[in-house]
Amino acid sequence: MNRKLVITQNVTLDGSIEMLGDWFDPQGQADVDNSDLIAELHRQDSTADAFLTGRQTFEDMRGYWPKQEDDATGITDYLNRVQKYVVSSTLTDPQWQNSTILAGDPIAEVSALKERPGQDIVVTGSITLCHALVRAGLVDEYRLFVYPVVQGRGRRLFPDGYELPRLRLIEAKSFRGGITYLRYAAR
């Protein structure tokens, strides 16, 4: 059985995954108890052994997460130890432990990665890569963390004009901070 390719995104109520404002704080809001949200993230991390990303998202994350020293969320620890795969034709040295550059055709590279034994492969951010994976039909699940914010602009998870006949809801829950979680199967 092939590994699942899972797109996990933080999304505004109006459907934007592009972070143009300050609606998303990777370590949570200081005045809100996000322990239930963090527990869900750790539950998902325990089922994934590969983190797939495009170059821009990788560089953004590499510039932030490894520098966090008092990260109570545990995200830094997870990202430092998980095997990271970076789709890039320009990056030559990832400069972050456990990182592999996928320099070939992204669809072929990700298809081959799905064939290898292992747990879930998770991609987040990386809007251009997500659009390519969606168009190629490689995505098995969508995990959306919906923030109670309307941004009014920004790129969306699905490419313009793209249609999926019907997604199957697997799971839905809400968290104390007002974020909701929706998990859909693509097939």
Side-chain angles (χ1 to χ4, degrees):
M1 183 169 148
N2 291 348
R3 301 163 85 175
K4 283 192 298 190
L5 178 63
V6 177
I7 289 182
T8 300
Q9 293 289 7
N10 298 297
V11 59
T12 62
L13 193 58
D14 60 337
S16 178
I17 61 172
E18 187 174 15
M19 295 177 196
L20 299 174
D22 61 358
W23 58 270
F24 175 76
D25 179 352
Q27 292 195 0
Q29 301 156 326
D31 59 338
V32 177
D33 177 7
N34 281 323
S35 58
D36 55 348
L37 174 62
I38 298 300
E40 176 61 28
L41 294 174
H42 288 302
R43 185 183 70 78
Q44 291 183 26
D45 290 348
S46 71
T47 66
D49 64 358
F51 184 79
L52 176 66
T53 184
R55 181 197 52 80
Q56 184 62 55
T57 298
F58 177 81
E59 288 179 344
D60 290 347
M61 294 179 86
R62 181 187 66 195
Y64 179 82
W65 286 109
K67 297 175 181 167
Q68 304 309 303
E69 296 187 11
D70 294 321
D71 175 22
T73 68
I75 296 170
T76 298
D77 182 55
Y78 172 74
L79 288 173
N80 281 336
R81 75 175 187 278
V82 71
Q83 181 59 51
K84 292 167 285 297
Y85 295 92
V86 187
V87 173
S88 176
S89 60
T90 58
L91 195 63
T92 56
D93 181 1
Q95 300 174 2
W96 194 0
Q97 72 236 27
N98 303 317
S99 296
T100 301
I101 298 170
L102 304 178
D105 172 65
I107 301 308
E109 294 271 17
V110 173
S111 294
L113 191 58
K114 284 184 72 170
E115 294 291 327
R116 295 183 199 163
Q119 295 179 295
D120 293 348
I121 304 163
V122 174
V123 59
T124 193
S126 310
I127 299 170
T128 302
L129 175 60
C130 285
H131 285 182
L133 298 171
V134 166
R135 279 191 195 101
L138 290 177
V139 181
D140 300 296
E141 272 186 33
Y142 297 92
R143 298 176 186 168
L144 307 176
F145 290 88
V146 182
Y147 284 69
V149 172
V150 175
Q151 184 169 259
R153 66 193 197 288
R155 292 185 292 168
R156 305 194 175 315
L157 173 57
F158 297 98
D160 285 344
Y162 187 83
E163 294 181 21
L164 282 171
R166 183 167 181 88
L167 298 172
R168 183 172 51 86
L169 181 65
I170 299 171
E171 184 178 12
K173 61 173 73 171
S174 60
F175 302 100
R176 284 186 290 272
I179 297 165
T180 57
Y181 169 65
L182 304 168
R183 179 178 169 212
Y184 291 97
R187 306 172 186 57

